[in-house]
RNA sequence: UGGGGAGUCGCCAAGUGGUAAGGCAGCGGCCUUUGGAGCCGCCACUCGGAGGUUCGAAUCCUCCCUCCCCAGCCA
């Protein structure tokens, strides 16, 4: 090896895969991403998507997209469509390998009959409450149902009649016959099928019995010859059942292995689908793609890039210990990508009028400004300059502190790509508020450099007042005030009321005119912004993706 | 007090018996036509704890402690 770089070490799943190659257990990696279409995908799913599709890419295998649609009461086509859109947007392609657990309903049913014939499953007619009572507790074994000893014939007959719709919902269930005394509660004769008269978004009313996850999942994996079935930690105790299903159905074409990893958690947000659903349904946010949500579609609307999210997933790693990732790491990932790819532009959020007294009123001159100092190939754009400009209110202080080095009376600063200007005074209204800042400019500093080499301490962004585009800018802050919103009890009580600030009339340089949704910019000195999906020609709307790192704010708050 | 997992820097995470990678955050400094970016430096004598084995232990053994998951006809 001539390289001095240390290769990234393998995560524990990669180690298993490489070991399987070494021992000849597998010659190919086949993974799957198995969402239930009952909500939108969130950043936690993104980790799983990157893991599953990433492993397939890394080892030249494939990754299936399989909808785990075994509970029609909660599932909808809209969610399935959104999920496909999000996976594609993240940059992954399942090609022809789009599957549904519901594709296997008939096979799943036939396998269930096989289990019955093998005396490995039985129809139980206890009520749900009775089943719960019979299950025992964590420390006491369960009790066998009085229906557990039904004959194979009777079980087969009952199961067929369940399928035929002869019984009410809940009248019977099909259970695996395993061990009511197992220390693993999941092995105490788990339910395999329940009667549920719900219209399924794909199979309509073809079925009135639906398989449970624990039964459908391992079989679906096996039917697709999944080699490594990756899921989250809470399924660890279900693994014996996963293996039980596969081991008792010898006609299955393969024996996949379930491997569990720790799900992603992010601070200052909630991640459970149930809670995200509530935020949407109770209108605490404006839909699943509200830019404050941790959903993939929200991050997209917020201006995040697929590259940034993939890099984030890579950064957080894969292991088995519970973790809470600092949202600052996610923000780092976007800044990192956008810094290299987003064109710079000038926008003033909170405008303060500047009048350059020695600049001719009728004149407009155009300056070239770099689109991206990080990337010369991004070229330059033309920005108009005139006598009246907007600058940020924050960039002027009548009585500056010692560490403040922006514009102040008597002080000279550079206007980015334009001229040096010196503040000569202010105009105030009757209330004593500053309405205008008066300046003079130095014609010799055209373009932003002084022939005598003097360097102002500050460079300000600005927009020519007469040329500015009026636009709406939405500033987002974290949706929750606490690092762990669910810890205090009611996570809704922790919602940050100031998580959205709308600036109805920000001033934008004219080069941005006509930008289409999802176009990303850096507003110089402010942050990264993206054209929102609600933008129109007459009413441009921008979302703040993330601020720039702001060392001044640290200095300022330290005092 | 059953079973299954996990404990390495504030947050992640390498490490697989040979003397604690890296990233984020933080803190200094340099540089800068973004107080951005970039660059440089600092940031675990110690790996949940206590014993033991060994020339040598985060890695092996024993005991203990803490945290997470499981009692849906959800996934």
């Amino acid at each position: 090896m001539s390289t001095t770089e240390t290769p990234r070490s393998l995560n524990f799943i990669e180690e298993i895969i490489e070991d399987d190659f070494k021992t000849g257990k597998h010659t190919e990696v086949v993974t799957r991403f198995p969402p239930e279409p009952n909500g939108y995908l969130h950043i936690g799913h993104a980790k799983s998507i990157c893991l599953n599709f990433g492993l397939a890419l890394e080892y030249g295998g494939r990754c299936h997209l399989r909808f785990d649609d075994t509970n029609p009461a909660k599932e909808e086509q809209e969610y399935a469509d959104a999920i496909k859109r999000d996976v594609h947007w993240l940059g992954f392609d399942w090609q022809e390998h789009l599957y549904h657990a519901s594709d296997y309903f008939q096979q799943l049913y036939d396998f269930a009959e096989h289990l019955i014939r093998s005396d490995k499953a039985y129809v139980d007619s206890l009520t749900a409450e009775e089943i719960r009572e019979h299950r025992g507790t964590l420390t006491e074994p369960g009790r066998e149902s009085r229906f557990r000893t039904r004959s194979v014939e009777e079980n087969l007959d009952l199961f067929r009649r369940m399928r035929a719709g002869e019984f009410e919902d809940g009248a019977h269930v099909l259970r695996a016959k395993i061990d009511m005394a197992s220390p693993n509660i999941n092995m105490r004769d788990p339910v395999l099928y329940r009667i549920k008269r719900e219209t399924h978004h794909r199979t309509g009313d073809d079925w009135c019995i639906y398989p449970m996850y624990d039964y459908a999942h391992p079989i679906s994996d096996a039917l697709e010859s999944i080699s490594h079935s990756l899921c989250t930690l809470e399924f660890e105790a279900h693994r014996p059942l996963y293996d039980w299903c596969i081991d008792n159905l010898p006609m299955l074409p393969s024996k996949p292995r379930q491997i569990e990893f720790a799900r992603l958690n992010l601070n200052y947000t909630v991640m459970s689908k149930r809670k995200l659903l509530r935020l949407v349904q109770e209108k605490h946010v404006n839909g699943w793609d509200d830019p404050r949500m941790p959903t993939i579609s929200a991050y997209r609307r917020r201006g995040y890039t697929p590259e940034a999210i993939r890099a984030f997933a890579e950064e957080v790693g894969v292991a088995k210990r519970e973790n809470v990732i600092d949202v600052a790491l996610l923000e780092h990932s976007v800044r990192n990508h956008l810094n290299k790819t987003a064109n710079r532009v000038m926008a003033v959020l909170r405008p303060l009028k500047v009048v350059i007294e020695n600049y001719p009123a009728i004149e407009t001159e155009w300056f070239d400004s770099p689109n991206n100092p990080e990337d010369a190939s991004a070229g330059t754009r033309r920005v108009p300059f005139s006598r009246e400009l907007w600058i940020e209110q924050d960039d002027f202080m009548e009585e500056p502190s010692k560490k403040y080095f922006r514009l102040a009376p008597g002080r000279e600063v550079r206007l980015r790509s334009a001229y040096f200007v010196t503040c000569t005074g202010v105009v105030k209204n009757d209330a004593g508020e500053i309405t205008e800042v008066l300046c003079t400019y130095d014609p010799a500093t055209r373009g932003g450099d002084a022939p005598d080499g003097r360097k102002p301490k500050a460079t300000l962004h600005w927009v020519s007042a007469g040329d500015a585009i009026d636009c709406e800018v939405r500033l987002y802050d974290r949706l929750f005030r606490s690092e762990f919103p669910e810890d205090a009890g009611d996570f809704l009580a922790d919602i940050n009321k100031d998580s959205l600030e709308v600036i109805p009339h920000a001033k934008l340089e004219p080069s941005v005119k006509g930008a289409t949704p999802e176009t990303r910019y850096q507003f110089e000195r402010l942050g990264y912004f993206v054209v929102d999906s609600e933008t129109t020609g007459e009413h441009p709307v921008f979302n703040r993706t993330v601020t720039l790192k702001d060392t001044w704010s640290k200095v300022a708050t330290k005092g």
Side-chain angles (χ1 to χ4, degrees), chain A residues 299-304 516-521 523 528-533 541-545:
Chain A
Y299 283 118
R300 176 179 184 174
R301 189 171 172 191
R302 176 91 176 240
Y304 276 65
T516 52
E518 293 192 37
T519 308
R520 304 172 184 96
Y521 295 96
F523 288 180
Y528 295 97
F529 292 75
V530 64
V531 180
D532 185 69
S533 51
V541 179
F542 288 81
N543 296 320
R544 184 173 67 196
T545 307

Side-chain angles (χ1 to χ4, degrees), chain A residues 16 44 46 50 67 136 184-185 214 228 232 238 247 258 268 271 349 360 396 425 430 433 445 455 459 473 495 507 531:
Chain A
I16 290 171
C50 291
F67 287 102
N184 181 345
I185 291 185
D214 281 322
H228 303 270
T232 45
H238 294 238
D247 290 342
Q258 173 178 303
Y268 296 102
M271 207 73 97
L349 265 29
F396 177 80
D430 294 342
E433 298 157 342
T445 59
K455 293 193 180 296
T459 298
V473 174
I495 288 180
K507 308 298 182 185
V531 180

Side-chain angles (χ1 to χ4, degrees), chain A residues 53-186:
Chain A
F53 281 93
L55 250 13
L57 251 21
E58 183 182 351
Y59 292 105
R62 62 176 195 271
C63 179
H64 300 178
L65 174 62
R66 182 175 69 232
F67 287 102
D68 229 326
D69 52 352
T70 57
N71 185 359
K74 293 183 178 173
E75 298 152 5
E76 295 173 21
Q77 189 58 42
E78 183 215 331
Y79 292 134
D81 294 340
I83 287 167
K84 285 191 269 189
R85 202 188 312 134
D86 288 344
V87 174
H88 269 149
W89 178 76
L90 269 180
F92 297 106
D93 186 5
W94 52 88
Q95 300 179 321
E96 72 270 35
H97 297 105
L98 171 64
Y99 303 107
H100 302 79
S102 55
D103 294 336
Y104 312 130
F105 280 172
Q106 185 58 48
Q107 290 170 88
L108 258 2
Y109 175 85
D110 293 339
F111 291 146
E113 286 205 355
H114 179 270
L115 288 178
I116 293 170
R117 278 190 293 267
S118 324
D119 197 29
K120 295 288 186 183
Y122 63 98
V123 172
D124 196 359
S125 308
L126 255 25
T127 64
E129 299 83 277
E130 286 174 314
I131 287 180
R132 176 162 35 76
E133 286 159 12
H134 280 65
R135 192 148 30 219
T137 68
L138 295 178
T139 51
E140 306 155 25
R143 286 149 38 224
E144 295 184 353
S145 164
R146 61 184 181 276
F147 300 106
R148 198 178 198 261
T149 52
R150 290 215 256 232
S151 68
V152 166
E153 293 66 33
E154 187 182 2
N155 284 139
L156 223 36
D157 174 63
L158 251 15
F159 187 52
R160 286 173 179 166
R161 289 164 60 198
M162 280 170 64
R163 192 266 179 270
E166 290 187 26
F167 308 115
E168 295 293 291
D169 286 14
H172 310 279
V173 292
L174 183 73
R175 289 231 252 172
K177 190 182 284 189
I178 307 180
D179 178 9
M180 287 308 292
S182 171
N184 181 345
I185 291 185
N186 298 303

Side-chain angles (χ1 to χ4, degrees), chain A residues 107-290:
Chain A
Q107 290 170 88
L108 258 2
Y109 175 85
D110 293 339
F111 291 146
E113 286 205 355
H114 179 270
L115 288 178
I116 293 170
R117 278 190 293 267
S118 324
D119 197 29
K120 295 288 186 183
Y122 63 98
V123 172
D124 196 359
S125 308
L126 255 25
T127 64
E129 299 83 277
E130 286 174 314
I131 287 180
R132 176 162 35 76
E133 286 159 12
H134 280 65
R135 192 148 30 219
T137 68
L138 295 178
T139 51
E140 306 155 25
R143 286 149 38 224
E144 295 184 353
S145 164
R146 61 184 181 276
F147 300 106
R148 198 178 198 261
T149 52
R150 290 215 256 232
S151 68
V152 166
E153 293 66 33
E154 187 182 2
N155 284 139
L156 223 36
D157 174 63
L158 251 15
F159 187 52
R160 286 173 179 166
R161 289 164 60 198
M162 280 170 64
R163 192 266 179 270
E166 290 187 26
F167 308 115
E168 295 293 291
D169 286 14
H172 310 279
V173 292
L174 183 73
R175 289 231 252 172
K177 190 182 284 189
I178 307 180
D179 178 9
M180 287 308 292
S182 171
N184 181 345
I185 291 185
N186 298 303
M187 298 297 271
R188 318 236 263 229
D189 289 10
V191 172
L192 266 22
Y193 267 92
R194 74 283 211 190
I195 303 171
K196 197 185 262 280
R197 251 160 278 255
E198 287 279 353
T199 300
H200 188 282
H201 69 99
R202 295 191 74 248
T203 61
D205 296 318
D206 292 352
W207 297 85
C208 64
I209 58 172
Y210 291 95
M212 299 289 288
Y213 165 88
D214 281 322
Y215 175 71
H217 205 88
I219 296 173
S220 301
D221 284 345
L223 290 173
E224 293 174 22
S225 291
I226 299 300
S227 60
H228 303 270
S229 179
L230 313 182
C231 63
T232 45
L233 255 26
E234 67 270 27
F235 292 103
E236 211 147 18
H238 294 238
R239 195 168 65 227
L241 179 51
Y242 182 99
D243 292 336
W244 182 94
C245 289
I246 289 168
D247 290 342
N248 284 288
L249 265 359
M251 66 291 271
L252 255 15
S254 75
K255 282 187 188 293
R257 198 232 275 212
Q258 173 178 303
I259 300 168
E260 311 83 14
F261 66 94
R263 67 166 64 249
L264 171 76
N265 296 292
L266 256 197
N267 57 10
Y268 296 102
T269 192
V270 296
M271 207 73 97
S272 87
K273 278 194 191 175
R274 206 198 106 254
K275 293 192 174 87
L276 295 177
L277 216 210
R278 274 192 77 184
L279 289 171
V280 172
Q281 286 184 334
E282 296 175 19
K283 307 231 190 281
H284 296 103
V285 296
N286 304 313
W288 287 97
D289 70 342
D290 183 301

Side-chain angles (χ1 to χ4, degrees), chain A residues 292-309:
Chain A
R292 294 166 292 184
M293 291 282 276
T295 57
I296 293 173
S297 49
Y299 283 118
R300 176 179 184 174
R301 189 171 172 191
R302 176 91 176 240
Y304 276 65
T305 60
E307 292 90 336
I309 292 175

